Amino acid sequence: SRYVCRLEDFSHPNSGGTCNNSSSGGGNWNNNTAKSGKSPQARFSVVESNQFRELTHLSLNLTKGTDATVRTYLSQRLGQTMSWNATLKSQLKQELERAEVAERTATDATERCNQIMLSTETEKRELQLEAKEQMHQEHTKSAEELKRALNEKETEIEKLKETYCKNKEGSATKIEELERRQDLLLKGKSAAENENDKLNNTMSLRDETIKALTADI
């Protein structure tokens, strides 16, 4: 079996044609024939054919688009594009604000970790000095207790370092994700602006054509 697209132009009885996976014919067509009550000027069909029969899967009656329908369609598309553009701008603003908050959070966490590391290093040095003094006085139990205290402080320092590294990696990952989203939003904004420009150019060309036709009439 093979699938064939057919476009039959009723205004020219002998102009019916077929195409594979695409439509043929020119002009602005729409399928509002049933709503408008007008006779169809063309019919677009998707037909499955083999050596035994032909089976129509889709059939659309088409009429020429009027100036009003074309204007309505273009205005609707322009409104959708402008709405999408506004949504993208709002999302971009939100993502930028989130990025700023994440950056401030990461900076605060780094500062806190640095302060903790400085304080723990100071405490470690103080404990080492105290341990040396007590080791001269008590060579038995005091030395063991101070060693345990030092080990606990070192374990605490290692945990703090690990926490700092994890927070730093997590913050970097969040910032990269936010930057990626920002790039996507900027690309979407650019695409929306390009679409908006195309629609504006189409409207301008349409208006110029209408003016020219009016002048000729």
Side-chain angles (χ1 to χ4, degrees), residues 114-161:
N114 290 334
Q115 292 174 359
I116 292 172
M117 291 179 66
L118 289 174
S119 63
T120 52
E121 288 294 334
T122 302
E123 291 178 359
K124 182 179 177 180
R125 287 193 296 268
E126 291 176 353
L127 287 172
Q128 288 175 346
L129 293 174
E130 185 180 352
K132 288 180 181 180
E133 292 175 358
Q134 291 184 359
M135 282 178 66
H136 290 290
Q137 299 174 1
E138 300 177 0
H139 295 283
T140 55
K141 60 179 180 180
S142 298
E144 293 176 356
E145 291 176 358
L146 288 171
K147 285 181 181 179
R148 285 196 298 269
L150 285 172
N151 289 332
E152 290 175 358
K153 286 295 180 182
E154 287 177 354
T155 302
E156 183 181 357
I157 290 170
E158 291 297 328
K159 289 181 179 180
L160 290 171
K161 286 182 178 179

Side-chain angles (χ1 to χ4, degrees), residues 34 51 64-65 111 114 117 123 129 148 167 170 172 184 191 194 205 216:
Q51 58 183 346
K64 281 275 189 176
E111 291 178 355
N114 290 334
M117 291 179 66
E123 291 178 359
L129 293 174
R148 285 196 298 269
N167 290 336
L184 291 175
N194 292 335
L205 181 61
D216 293 337

